[in-house]
Amino acid sequence: MKAEVIELITTVFQVLQINMRWMTWNLFLAFIPLALSVWLFRRQGGRSWVWWLGFLSFYAFLPNAPYLLTDVIHFIDDIRRVQSVWVITLVLIPIYLVVILGGFEAYVISLINLGYYLHRIGKSQWIFAVELITHALCAIGIYWGRFLRFNSWDFITQPDAILTKGVEEILGKQPLVIIAITFVILWGLHWFMKRITLGFVKNGVNSPTNDHHLHNIG
């Protein structure tokens, strides 16, 4: 009995040690577009070449946030490795929920900030269309990252590979189906999480002006 407990604890520590590496890195990448969205869309200022460079970087890194949804494949591997209902329920599931939801919430808030910016410059009617386009671009980015193993910085280091292999790959029937399914998932989850997020924010806002503003970006 004692040996089994020690073996189980050792396995849990090994699993956590392996997961903490990619979880920390992927969360870091997910929060880059969130930080950029605050700098780009929440501050007052003009659109200089630095702003446009930041805007391109924002879209290059944005797929990293919802990409964490695909890391559920690691969860399946961990279940096979641990094989303990209690550990899976009390350790693995909470950790994966925090990481995956944290990454997706970064995606949602980033788009809320983008919507705020569009509203501020008088383009509120563009918000829904821009969100749909963003979901589509991120669905492609997630496919590139998960199946072709492209990274955000490959737009700089190997743009030729993205323009050739990347574009060629997504034109096949199976990739298009995967991208379409990913798009629907992103749209549905974003719609749901956006309303929850704005609901929390709105409950903490008493100003009629701010409440009207939140209504417009929602």
Side-chain angles (χ1 to χ4, degrees):
M1 180 68 178
K2 184 178 179 181
E4 293 177 354
V5 172
I6 293 175
E7 183 180 358
L8 179 59
I9 293 174
T10 302
T11 303
V12 170
F13 273 105
Q14 288 175 347
V15 169
L16 292 178
Q17 186 177 20
I18 294 172
N19 286 335
M20 285 303 113
R21 296 173 184 175
W22 66 260
M23 284 180 174
T24 303
W25 176 246
N26 285 0
L27 273 177
F28 170 74
L29 293 177
F31 279 89
I32 289 178
L34 175 58
L36 285 171
S37 73
V38 174
W39 177 72
L40 289 167
F41 308 132
R42 287 288 177 174
R43 71 183 184 91
Q44 301 292 330
R47 286 174 288 187
S48 63
W49 68 269
V50 177
W51 188 93
W52 284 108
L53 181 61
F55 182 76
L56 292 176
S57 300
F58 167 75
Y59 266 98
F61 280 94
L62 187 59
N64 289 296
Y67 177 86
L68 278 159
L69 292 171
T70 68
D71 285 329
V72 70
I73 62 173
H74 298 298
F75 178 65
I76 297 173
D77 292 336
D78 288 342
I79 289 177
R80 294 170 180 165
R81 193 178 296 120
V82 175
Q83 294 183 347
S84 167
V85 175
W86 289 108
V87 173
I88 293 171
T89 304
L90 300 177
V91 179
L92 292 182
I93 290 179
I95 290 176
Y96 271 90
L97 281 177
V98 168
V99 172
I100 292 175
L101 289 178
F104 199 80
E105 183 64 16
Y107 179 68
V108 171
I109 297 176
S110 296
L111 289 189
I112 288 176
N113 288 338
L114 176 55
Y116 167 87
Y117 177 77
L118 291 173
H119 173 71
R120 181 160 59 86
I121 64 175
K123 303 295 182 182
S124 298
Q125 70 276 14
W126 289 8
I127 294 177
F128 182 68
V130 168
E131 286 178 348
L132 290 181
I133 293 171
T134 301
H135 296 330
L137 292 175
C138 284
I140 294 172
I142 290 171
Y143 180 85
W144 281 347
R146 175 54 65 190
F147 294 98
L148 304 185
R149 309 310 297 170
F150 282 130
N151 297 303
S152 298
W153 45 86
D154 287 332
F155 285 103
I156 303 298
T157 59
Q158 48 178 338
D160 53 332
I162 291 179
L163 290 175
T164 54
K165 183 181 178 181
V167 174
E168 181 182 350
E169 284 286 335
I170 65 173
L171 296 179
K173 183 177 180 180
Q174 183 176 1
L176 286 177
V177 171
I178 295 173
I179 291 171
I181 293 174
T182 304
F183 169 81
V184 172
I185 292 173
L186 291 182
W187 175 80
L189 283 179
H190 172 264
W191 181 90
F192 179 71
M193 292 294 292
K194 179 180 179 181
R195 270 137 192 83
I196 292 178
T197 303
L198 290 178
F200 275 115
V201 174
K202 195 174 293 187
N203 287 335
V205 175
N206 296 319
S207 168
T209 302
N210 288 337
D211 191 61
H212 173 72
H213 168 71
L214 289 172
H215 175 73
N216 277 288
I217 66 173

